[in-house]
Amino acid sequence: MAFQTIKGTHDILPEDSTRWQELESIIHDVAVRFGYSEIRTPIFEDTSLFSRSVGEDTDIVSKEMYTWDDRSGGSLTLRPELTAPVARAFIQHNLGSKSPVQRMYYLGPLFRRERPQKGRQRQFHQFGIEAFGSEYPEQDAEIIAVGQTIFSELGLKDFSLKLNSLGSGECRGHYKKALQDYFNPLKNQLSETSQKRLETNPLRILDTKNPEEQKLLAGAPSIADFWTRDDAEHFSNVQDLLSVLDIPFELDPQMVRGLDYYTRTTFEFISGNLGAQDAICGGGRYDGLVEILGGKPTPAMGFAAGMERILMSMEQNGKKIEGNSVYLINLVESARGKALQIANEIRELGFTLTMDTLRRSLKAQLRDANRIGAVKVIIMGDDEIKNQTLQIKDLTTGEQEEIAESDLVKHFAV
RNA sequence: GUGGGCGUAGCUCAGCAGGUUAGAGCACCUGGUUGUGGCCCAGGAGGCCGUGGGUUCAAGUCCCAUCGCUCACCCCA
């Protein structure tokens, strides 16, 4: 094969694009009903936008970005996530001054250079929502409710919500130090990567899957002990609101989101039947991000959800039959122009109309009409042209009637 | 970056301990109906058996290398 897609990238073929469109339409619909508006940002950005917000020591920034030097000197990067670009746009266009709460959602491709596996690609798609301006638990609950609503409207089964709070900025600082104090004496029992993280980002040790290290975690200090009173109250309010909304969740004090900018509430939606990569949605509060990127201090909360993973976890529902598809068969050479005109008349009435462009036999064209799921066929042959009539065949019943050419629009308009 | 599994027709896969023109199902095309689909029947087209090298009288089959896909680790959506 001469050319094929780059490792970790995939074509979305015509036979699959309908499912994508359905997914997208539910996302648009639910987001808009919650009062969110779509934002579209460029596919690539200044590299430092990501390194500064996501964190130098994260896997994304340290080894997964597609980065190159621009001819004019700067360093550019294909976006590996979308919260930072949206925050950048929020600051750049001073959106905070247009209304006290900015609610936005987005949809599009992202790029991370990882080893592909089930549920992981190098180009993949996420949708997400972000709300800037409110620090209150209602905002947290609203964001989570949007996710919950979308997943249930998609008919997703077997998904669950995990919840944690990382506390506010200062609390994280104390907790970090406490973790370092705890792990430093045990340093030689830690893996090489964990030892590095002990220096740079000890929180990341918490989500290790190494059984040896998990044993050590049992005695480690818990984040909950470092929450400020406000942190604890905020988190407890979020939980209360979720309960009021009948959104089930479970607490997971071990859940540390991979990106540096998270504060307070963090959450993940997990799906069964996805294999090792089971998170379909992840998000949380990031009250410090806007300021880090040079904007006014602005509380914010959002999530991102993986569209491929969502589609994978949805049951493959069978092909829907097009309810209004028509197939036009013309067998007369001199009537080709006329056939095209008739085709357009039917299309103007709102029908999907397909025509053969291979000059095939009647039989072949009928077979084709059947294959694409056409409901009706219009047949133009020598007799019909001579008599100024048309045959209309109903493929669902097999019945066929002859109508006057002049009655065509009337026939389909009903 | 590390490890496991797999590369045969468009798709899903057979191919016995190496042996002659490489198979099936589905899909596609034609005919059975001088102008009538689906079902059925008959026929047809479509393969450098991933690539390169080696062993052998003989390689889809064995060995080595390489490329690709896939699953998992790390981490994430």
Side-chain angles (χ1 to χ4, degrees):
Chain A
M1 213 169 297
F3 290 106
Q4 57 179 326
T5 48
I6 304 302
K7 183 199 286 285
T9 70
H10 295 282
D11 296 315
I12 297 169
L13 298 173
E15 62 201 60
D16 300 318
S17 58
T18 314
R19 299 187 71 222
W20 278 84
Q21 288 167 356
E22 285 164 6
L23 171 60
E24 288 162 8
S25 96
I26 287 179
I27 292 164
H28 289 298
D29 187 58
V30 173
V32 167
R33 278 189 286 152
F34 274 84
Y36 287 72
S37 307
E38 185 179 359
I39 180 167
R40 303 185 188 193
T41 65
I43 297 290
F44 56 92
E45 301 262 3
D46 199 315
T47 300
S48 54
L49 171 64
F50 302 112
S51 49
R52 210 173 292 170
S53 59
V54 175
E56 293 280 4
D57 304 320
T58 59
D59 285 358
I60 291 178
V61 173
S62 63
K63 59 184 192 194
E64 296 174 0
M65 295 202 301
Y66 285 98
T67 296
W68 69 98
D69 291 329
D70 187 52
R71 289 187 187 183
S72 62
S75 175
L76 304 179
T77 293
L78 291 181
R79 61 188 192 191
E81 62 109 44
L82 262 162
T83 299
V86 171
R88 191 225 77 231
F90 173 83
I91 297 164
Q92 179 178 338
H93 304 288
N94 212 357
L95 298 180
S97 68
K98 292 185 175 157
S99 74
V101 177
Q102 271 291 320
R103 292 181 169 89
M104 296 183 271
Y105 75 98
Y106 58 77
L107 198 78
L110 303 180
F111 307 86
R112 294 183 197 170
R113 200 183 183 292
E114 300 179 86
R115 198 71 167 262
Q117 69 186 70
K118 189 178 173 67
R120 169 180 294 149
Q121 302 169 199
R122 291 183 171 184
Q123 175 173 345
F124 61 104
H125 298 77
Q126 287 187 345
F127 74 88
I129 67 170
E130 316 285 356
F132 295 85
S134 170
E135 61 178 321
Y136 295 111
E138 298 89 291
Q139 189 63 67
D140 303 47
E142 177 181 288
I143 294 279
I144 292 172
V146 174
Q148 168 80 25
T149 304
I150 289 175
F151 299 140
S152 64
E153 292 204 5
L154 285 168
L156 223 67
K157 291 171 187 128
D158 196 22
F159 70 94
S160 59
L161 173 61
K162 291 201 309 192
L163 202 63
N164 193 19
S165 173
L166 299 179
S168 48
E170 68 245 59
C171 135
R172 264 180 102 172
H174 294 143
Y175 183 52
K176 232 167 147 171
K177 185 153 186 313
L179 280 177
Q180 283 169 330
D181 290 345
Y182 172 77
F183 279 115
N184 261 323
L186 309 167
K187 201 171 174 178
N188 51 0
Q189 297 179 53
L190 294 175
S191 67
E192 204 177 319
T193 49
S194 287
Q195 288 190 22
K196 253 182 232 160
R197 282 175 187 157
L198 190 52
E199 306 295 326
T200 56
N201 191 352
L203 285 176
R204 291 282 299 287
I205 300 175
L206 293 181
D207 59 10
T208 181
K209 284 175 190 162
N210 182 327
E212 298 299 312
E213 295 186 355
Q214 284 187 329
K215 278 182 208 157
L216 297 177
L217 286 179
S222 162
I223 182 78
D225 298 331
F226 293 81
W227 293 336
T228 64
R229 276 179 66 134
D230 285 352
D231 290 338
E233 193 186 328
H234 180 96
F235 193 41
S236 129
N237 283 337
V238 171
Q239 294 177 53
D240 290 344
L241 292 170
L242 290 177
S243 301
V244 168
L245 289 172
D246 278 329
I247 298 176
F249 61 89
E250 61 184 89
L251 297 178
D252 182 356
Q254 229 77 306
M255 185 177 64
V256 179
R257 309 277 316 143
L259 309 152
D260 278 1
Y261 51 64
Y262 286 114
T263 53
R264 290 195 163 170
T265 312
T266 59
F267 67 95
E268 274 180 16
F269 281 96
I270 306 296
S271 166
N273 73 15
L274 273 190
Q277 311 306 324
D278 59 355
I280 53 173
C281 173
R285 188 161 268 291
Y286 46 96
D287 292 340
L289 179 61
V290 172
E291 193 176 2
I292 291 171
L293 295 179
K296 277 181 279 187
T298 307
M301 167 90 189
F303 72 67
M307 296 173 71
E308 281 84 0
R309 289 187 187 175
I310 288 167
L311 287 170
M312 259 191 289
S313 67
M314 286 168 63
E315 290 171 19
Q316 297 273 6
N317 30 14
K319 255 189 213 162
K320 278 182 194 160
I321 296 151
E322 289 293 328
N324 63 347
S325 182
V326 178
Y327 198 100
L328 174 60
I329 296 175
N330 168 45
L331 302 168
V332 185
E333 193 180 331
S334 61
R336 281 186 192 130
K338 184 180 202 166
L340 290 170
Q341 288 175 333
I342 288 177
N344 279 342
E345 283 175 37
I346 302 300
R347 290 180 185 125
E348 277 169 27
L349 295 172
F351 292 89
T352 297
L353 188 141
T354 311
M355 283 179 74
D356 174 78
T357 52
L358 287 173
R359 303 183 177 182
R360 285 183 286 183
S361 68
L362 174 65
K363 182 177 182 161
Q365 293 193 51
L366 275 167
R367 195 163 45 227
D368 203 27
N370 189 63
R371 180 171 31 233
I372 67 169
V375 173
K376 284 194 174 182
V377 176
I378 303 170
I379 301 169
M380 297 168 55
D382 287 319
D383 294 348
E384 287 75 24
I385 294 300
K386 198 170 67 188
N387 304 327
Q388 303 208 331
T389 58
L390 295 164
Q391 300 292 335
I392 308 290
K393 177 158 183 156
D394 186 322
L395 288 186
T396 57
T397 63
E399 285 167 19
Q400 183 168 321
E401 63 176 316
E402 183 173 85
I403 63 165
E405 205 186 295
S406 53
D407 287 341
L408 180 69
V409 170
K410 199 166 71 185
H411 182 89
F412 277 93
V414 180

